[in-house]
Amino acid sequence: MKGYNGDNIRNVALLGHGGCGKTTFLEAALLSTGVISRIGKVEDGNTVSDYDKMEIEKGYSISASIVPVEYNKVKINFIDTPGFFDFVGEVNSAMAAVDAAMILVDASSGIQVGTEKAWNSCKHFNMPKMFILSKTDKENVDTDALIAELQDKFGSSVVTLDDKDSLVEVIAETDEALMEKFFEGEEFTDEEFNTGLMKGFAEGSIVPVLTCSSMQGEGIKEILDAAVKFVPKASAHAPYKTVDGKEIEASASGKPIGFVFKTIADPFLGKINLVKVISGKLSSGMEMYNARAEKAEKIASIFYLRGKTQGDCPGAEAGDIVAVAKMQYAQTGDTLCEKANLVELPGVEFPKPALFIAIEPKNKGEDEKVGSGVHKLTEEDPSFVLERNVETKQTLLGGQGEIQLGIVQAKLKEKFGVEVQTIEQKIAYRETIKGNSDVQGKHKKQSGGAGQYGDVHIRFSPSQEEFEFSEELFGGSIPKNYVPAIEKGLVESMQKGPLAGCKVVNIKAVLYDGSYHDVDSNEMAFKIAASLAFKKGIVEAKPCLLEPVMHLDITVPDDYMGDVMGDMNKRRGKILGMEPLAGGGQKLMAEAPQAELFDYAIVLRSMTQARGSFEMNFERYEEVPAHLADKIIKEYAAEQE
């Protein structure tokens, strides 16, 4: 594949619901431009863009992949994105590298949730877009009715290119002079028409609709023509904004700058980074500087990728997309620049994990192997995480949904030879007291030889702070040098409360009396005495269990509000308020115990047909209702037996 300048490069993301025909459209485009001799099929596992073993096995896209199509002396860098909502991180990676999007709609299925999500993604990233109605060769397809449905759903900006009357009206809205001409009944010149059309597309006020049947090869060249005509030239990209607000021109004559928008863990080549050339030129052998890592990066070799096929790349200009192998520090979202010209662009947006599961290796002693494998997989997809809960001692895998977490587990087995199993997720309960107590803790051990003696009197009461300690000793009842050991004994005891072995919080302890032995007293003896006082004192001060309560911001379309609110009430939740959203729907603010929310990502998706979303953060601890606390305490007691 030869090199192209920015005027002859177009960068386009393919978006849409799972199964809408993105991957097959690319096959048809490659067939029509002579790259392949027969069209591959997703179900046969022989397509160019779905080349990963897992994608072939599952029959759907998991990762974004780049497929350049050379057409009429222009290179269109298509990025095929997954349609499943669990892989939204892949969509966001693609959107960081393109200048326009094509939203594919299965003409036989009509507008689907993925169509809406693709539209919203384009709005979020302020991305020009066009609709492609695919599979028009299927029976009972009514494209006119579907176009009307798209216009009804997404507005009058949605237009067909063969309806000149509608086009003239929306073109008029792109410019005041054209609007004046339109109202005066004057016709636009061809130049005015085309300029207005291009401007309207770039601003998002014109969303063209095209049709195709990939399997029949119909409409493919028209779509490629539209990509060449409408999608902004890579050289015409607006100035890029750096994290500190500076602007960088997308110029081939500028200083070399690259942006890593995706990482691939290739089993044979190791790590490959997909890099968009922002400015200047990149070529093999260059040394660049990684602004985030603050390290030099050797660009050992750059090449073009088309699916998994590599092509020679002598050098790439601003606007092009290349693959770079074996960079040492580069991660998704990093900026490569000259050390003397430090630049850092905003990273790729990744959603916070919505669903967590607890996992453990099937074979003991493989925890390190799991951690290492997940770390390598998160380089490819930073939208999932591996966390260790220090209180429950569990390893938690968090991601966007069940499909993604299932893929992670399958890849761990396939790529790194380690199997994990899901276990019941524990909650980091806490224990505290609601009353006061006044107790003695005495440790006395005298059975020949050196003995041990420690005796403390401590008052316990509730506190707003996690732990308060003070002493009111008088008359030398306990030497002051033993007080730190007594405090340490209490602090260590707080790690495991008497009810369910949970961390104890919000306690005030006042050491006010005690006794000691000249010979047998030591720090250890007083530490043990303090722990005995703690166990007795907590039990006598009306202990209770606390549970974590989470704050949720839930985005819900109006149609599902009743179901979502009813479900939240069933989860011991409280609706704190709601506010309307600019694009329709509501944002619900709610609180609910963490114990009731482990499956919330799955249930919300099901309740709202995947249209609802949420973010969740820890808010505070609250007392567990008595009937639930009894159950938790009994379960803990049974485990200890």
Side-chain angles (χ1 to χ4, degrees):
M1 197 183 304
K2 70 187 187 76
Y4 288 78
N5 64 35
D7 287 348
N8 297 318
I9 295 169
R10 310 288 185 272
N11 296 312
V12 185
L14 298 181
L15 311 179
H17 197 86
C20 68
K22 300 182 291 293
T23 301
T24 309
F25 162 73
L26 281 177
E27 290 293 304
L30 292 171
L31 180 68
S32 75
T33 52
V35 175
I36 55 176
S37 56
R38 56 189 286 270
I39 200 162
K41 294 182 181 177
V42 172
E43 53 269 31
D44 294 342
N46 60 354
T47 64
V48 171
S49 62
D50 281 2
Y51 58 86
D52 182 83
K53 185 182 172 187
M54 199 72 66
E55 291 178 317
I56 293 167
E57 191 183 297
K58 300 286 182 186
Y60 53 76
S61 302
I62 291 167
S63 299
S65 62
I66 183 159
V67 178
V69 173
E70 295 173 284
Y71 177 75
N72 284 354
K73 299 180 180 176
V74 171
K75 181 167 77 157
I76 309 166
N77 286 319
F78 284 110
I79 303 183
D80 184 16
T81 68
F84 277 103
F85 314 128
D86 286 28
F87 306 111
V88 64
E90 297 290 320
V91 174
N92 292 4
S93 287
M95 296 298 254
V98 299
D99 300 308
M102 291 181 175
I103 303 173
L104 274 80
V105 183
D106 181 340
S108 63
S109 302
I111 296 171
Q112 295 171 283
V113 182
T115 317
E116 296 173 27
K117 284 187 174 285
W119 176 272
N120 291 335
S121 182
C122 289
K123 277 177 69 178
H124 177 76
F125 289 102
N126 196 25
M127 189 70 67
K129 55 208 165 286
M130 63 180 79
F131 282 113
I132 309 293
L133 309 188
S134 65
K135 308 185 187 181
T136 52
D137 57 313
K138 287 199 168 184
E139 283 183 30
N140 304 317
V141 165
D142 186 341
T143 53
D144 290 339
L146 180 50
I147 290 165
E149 195 184 336
L150 287 167
Q151 290 168 332
D152 184 54
K153 179 84 179 172
F154 300 113
S156 60
S157 61
V158 178
V159 291
T160 56
L161 297 176
D162 53 6
D163 183 354
K164 194 151 188 187
D165 291 339
S166 295
L167 279 174
V168 165
E169 198 168 329
V170 289
I171 286 168
E173 292 173 11
T174 65
D175 183 87
E176 279 185 32
L178 292 180
M179 180 67 82
E180 208 171 294
K181 210 170 177 183
F182 174 73
F183 279 129
E184 287 173 2
E186 291 182 46
E187 280 199 20
F188 299 155
T189 65
D190 287 347
E191 188 182 347
E192 285 172 336
F193 185 87
N194 281 321
T195 303
L197 193 57
M198 306 300 291
K199 188 181 178 196
F201 176 77
E203 292 173 350
S205 58
I206 293 176
V207 181
V209 183
L210 295 99
T211 61
C212 75
S213 164
S214 298
M215 296 310 291
Q216 305 301 321
E218 294 168 2
I220 303 303
K221 291 208 168 175
E222 288 79 0
I223 292 168
L224 296 179
D225 283 330
V228 171
K229 180 178 179 179
F230 286 102
V231 176
K233 296 173 181 177
S235 57
H237 195 290
Y240 292 88
K241 282 259 173 69
T242 64
V243 289
D244 55 3
K246 290 178 187 164
E247 290 191 342
I248 301 166
E249 295 290 335
S251 165
S253 60
K255 294 192 180 295
I257 299 168
F259 179 72
V260 180
F261 69 91
K262 178 159 175 59
T263 303
I264 302 164
D266 188 281
F268 304 107
L269 284 174
K271 189 170 74 171
I272 295 173
N273 296 109
L274 293 186
V275 178
K276 182 176 185 183
V277 186
I278 301 298
S279 165
K281 296 177 184 177
L282 287 188
S283 55
S284 298
M286 289 177 76
E287 184 170 282
M288 300 289 280
Y289 189 75
N290 186 321
R292 175 200 55 83
E294 298 183 343
K295 302 273 189 183
E297 295 274 21
K298 179 80 171 171
I299 311 290
S301 68
I302 66 171
F303 48 92
Y304 291 120
L305 272 183
R306 179 180 278 140
K308 67 177 176 184
T309 308
Q310 297 174 19
D312 290 339
C313 174
E317 286 194 9
D320 211 349
I321 292 170
V322 292
V324 182
K326 298 178 181 174
M327 277 197 287
Q328 198 170 350
Y329 308 103
Q331 297 175 3
T332 300
D334 284 356
T335 305
L336 306 174
C337 58
E338 292 178 332
K339 192 170 184 180
N341 176 46
L342 274 183
V343 169
E344 192 164 3
L345 295 162
V348 178
E349 280 184 38
F350 288 104
K352 287 167 67 175
L355 178 67
F356 282 89
I357 57 172
I359 59 165
E360 65 180 16
K362 277 192 178 175
N363 302 320
K364 281 190 176 170
E366 291 194 332
D367 295 85
E368 206 171 302
K369 215 171 170 185
V370 171
S372 165
V374 170
H375 175 70
K376 283 177 181 160
L377 293 176
T378 53
E379 285 190 336
E380 280 196 300
D381 180 6
S383 69
F384 69 89
V385 297
L386 191 71
E387 294 178 355
R388 179 78 177 163
N389 187 312
V390 291
E391 288 185 42
T392 64
K393 308 286 191 290
Q394 284 189 320
T395 299
L396 302 178
L397 186 64
Q400 304 308 310
E402 288 177 292
I403 292 174
Q404 184 192 31
L405 297 182
I407 293 289
V408 172
Q409 292 173 77
K411 281 188 172 182
L412 278 173
K413 182 181 177 183
E414 184 206 317
K415 291 189 172 184
F416 304 103
V418 58
E419 285 191 71
V420 297
Q421 57 195 14
T422 306
I423 54 174
E424 190 177 343
Q425 198 169 333
K426 292 177 183 174
I427 294 160
Y429 290 110
R430 299 270 172 92
E431 298 179 27
T432 192
I433 54 175
K434 293 193 284 183
N436 302 324
S437 62
D438 187 334
V439 296
Q440 178 185 21
K442 192 170 187 179
H443 174 62
K444 185 178 179 184
K445 185 180 177 189
Q446 288 167 314
S447 53
Q452 288 189 335
Y453 184 91
D455 174 30
V456 295
H457 290 254
I458 300 175
R459 290 193 298 266
F460 290 97
S461 59
S463 170
Q464 291 300 308
E465 295 177 33
E466 188 160 310
F467 177 58
E468 275 187 88
F469 175 77
S470 62
E471 55 93 355
E472 298 173 359
L473 296 169
F474 59 92
S477 53
I478 300 173
K480 298 282 188 185
N481 59 310
Y482 292 134
V483 172
I486 295 167
E487 184 178 0
K488 193 176 181 187
L490 294 173
V491 168
E492 288 180 6
S493 299
M494 287 174 71
Q495 299 308 307
K496 197 170 182 182
L499 295 178
C502 308
K503 185 178 178 181
V504 180
V505 293
N506 305 122
I507 301 287
K508 182 178 181 182
V510 180
L511 171 67
Y512 69 92
D513 201 3
S515 61
Y516 74 103
H517 189 280
D518 283 336
V519 177
D520 296 339
S521 285
N522 54 39
E523 288 185 353
M524 182 55 73
F526 274 103
K527 200 172 157 188
I528 294 168
S531 69
L532 294 171
F534 178 85
K535 284 169 188 165
K536 198 190 299 182
I538 299 305
V539 171
E540 289 182 17
K542 296 184 184 169
C544 67
L545 267 187
L546 302 174
E547 64 181 342
V549 173
M550 313 303 281
H551 177 93
L552 298 99
D553 288 323
I554 313 163
T555 303
V556 191
D558 292 321
D559 293 351
Y560 306 102
M561 284 288 289
D563 290 344
V564 172
M565 290 171 79
D567 174 74
M568 189 50 63
N569 289 330
K570 287 178 197 165
R571 294 172 185 272
R572 298 191 282 131
K574 285 181 249 174
I575 304 292
L576 304 176
M578 61 181 76
E579 56 187 52
L581 297 169
Q586 302 275 342
K587 181 165 97 170
L588 280 181
M589 285 75 80
E591 286 180 354
Q594 186 189 27
E596 308 289 342
L597 297 170
F598 287 148
D599 66 344
Y600 193 64
I602 300 163
V603 174
L604 182 68
R605 185 175 284 186
S606 171
M607 263 191 305
T608 63
Q609 296 184 331
R611 289 178 172 89
S613 62
F614 74 101
E615 279 203 2
M616 180 166 69
N617 292 294
F618 169 76
E619 185 67 26
R620 65 181 176 280
Y621 271 89
E622 273 186 5
E623 186 176 349
V624 180
H627 68 287
L628 293 174
D630 288 344
K631 188 181 170 198
I632 295 160
I633 292 163
K634 280 176 186 166
E635 284 173 0
Y636 174 73
E639 280 176 23
Q640 301 308 300
E641 286 175 5

